[in-house]
Amino acid sequence: MSSIAVQFRNRILGRFRESDFITRKKAEALLAFNLSIILIISILLTVMIFAAPEKIGIVAPVILVIIFGLSVSSIFLIKGFYAVSSSTTVLVIVFLLIAGLYKRAAEFPDTIYSTNFYFLLTMIVVGTLFNSRKFVLSLTLFIIGNNIALFMIVRHRLSPESLSIAANGCIYSICAF
């Protein structure tokens, strides 16, 4: 790592100098995660401006909320509030994914189990890396509760075939969570 990058990291994570090794490494990893996601989705937004300008109105607000949320998380991290920072990172993304599922349930009820549920599994893994067991258990129960709520919302609007697929999707995703 270049000396500039090391100086940047040391300055940003200065409040963790006296912390135990695990906390320092988790703070470094969380900062790297936040900055990487911000960079990746900024590139995604830039590409979408040119490749699919008609979708910018849908995608840009979500990307900007993620950038804002991860920036706030990074500020908490810089201030030395690791637990608040890690919770903010995970919750911003989980809330946006779940909001997207509710929107999809309203517009395309037969597709909710073929979209963002996979990303929610990833967020449980991310939560496991950065958060406490109690947080991850609460997060998992929150996601499962929303899974069931979404199924209850869409079940009356589906054809018998789609209902069977959605029921399987609900059950399988609960098992996976």
Side-chain angles (χ1 to χ4, degrees):
M1 191 181 299
S2 73
S3 65
I4 294 172
V6 170
Q7 288 175 351
F8 174 75
R9 184 192 70 209
N10 290 341
R11 180 168 293 182
I12 296 293
L13 298 173
R15 299 212 188 238
F16 294 97
R17 244 181 243 125
E18 303 301 319
S19 299
D20 63 281
F21 177 78
I22 298 293
T23 303
R24 276 195 323 268
K25 290 302 177 185
K26 286 171 76 173
E28 287 177 22
L30 181 59
L31 180 64
F33 179 83
N34 284 351
L35 295 177
S36 297
I37 296 298
I38 289 170
L39 177 66
I40 290 167
I41 63 176
S42 295
I43 292 169
L44 173 68
L45 181 60
T46 304
V47 169
M48 287 201 69
I49 289 170
F50 297 106
E54 70 280 358
K55 300 217 182 225
I56 289 300
I58 298 167
V59 175
V62 173
I63 288 176
L64 293 174
V65 169
I66 292 172
I67 289 171
F68 177 77
L70 296 185
S71 297
V72 169
S73 170
S74 297
I75 291 168
F76 284 138
L77 192 61
I78 291 166
K79 296 289 186 186
F81 300 112
Y82 175 80
V84 175
S85 175
S86 61
S87 299
T88 301
T89 293
V90 172
L91 291 176
V92 163
I93 298 171
V94 167
F95 287 155
L96 283 171
L97 288 170
I98 288 177
L101 286 168
Y102 279 99
K103 184 177 187 309
R104 183 163 287 281
E107 295 175 3
F108 309 104
D110 55 334
T111 65
I112 62 169
Y113 291 101
S114 63
T115 55
N116 294 356
F117 271 108
Y118 307 110
F119 295 117
L120 289 169
L121 282 169
T122 304
M123 291 315 299
I124 290 173
V125 173
V126 170
T128 302
L129 293 173
F130 296 122
N131 301 95
S132 69
R133 287 184 193 133
K134 185 187 278 188
F135 179 89
V136 174
L137 178 60
S138 299
L139 178 70
T140 303
L141 293 174
F142 175 74
I143 292 170
I144 289 171
N146 278 283
N147 182 10
I148 294 167
L150 282 162
F151 177 74
M152 296 304 205
I153 289 168
V154 301
R155 70 183 177 153
H156 299 296
R157 298 175 47 211
L158 300 174
S159 68
E161 299 83 27
S162 294
L163 179 59
S164 174
I165 293 168
N168 284 337
C170 181
I171 293 165
Y172 294 161
S173 60
I174 288 173
C175 291
F177 294 133

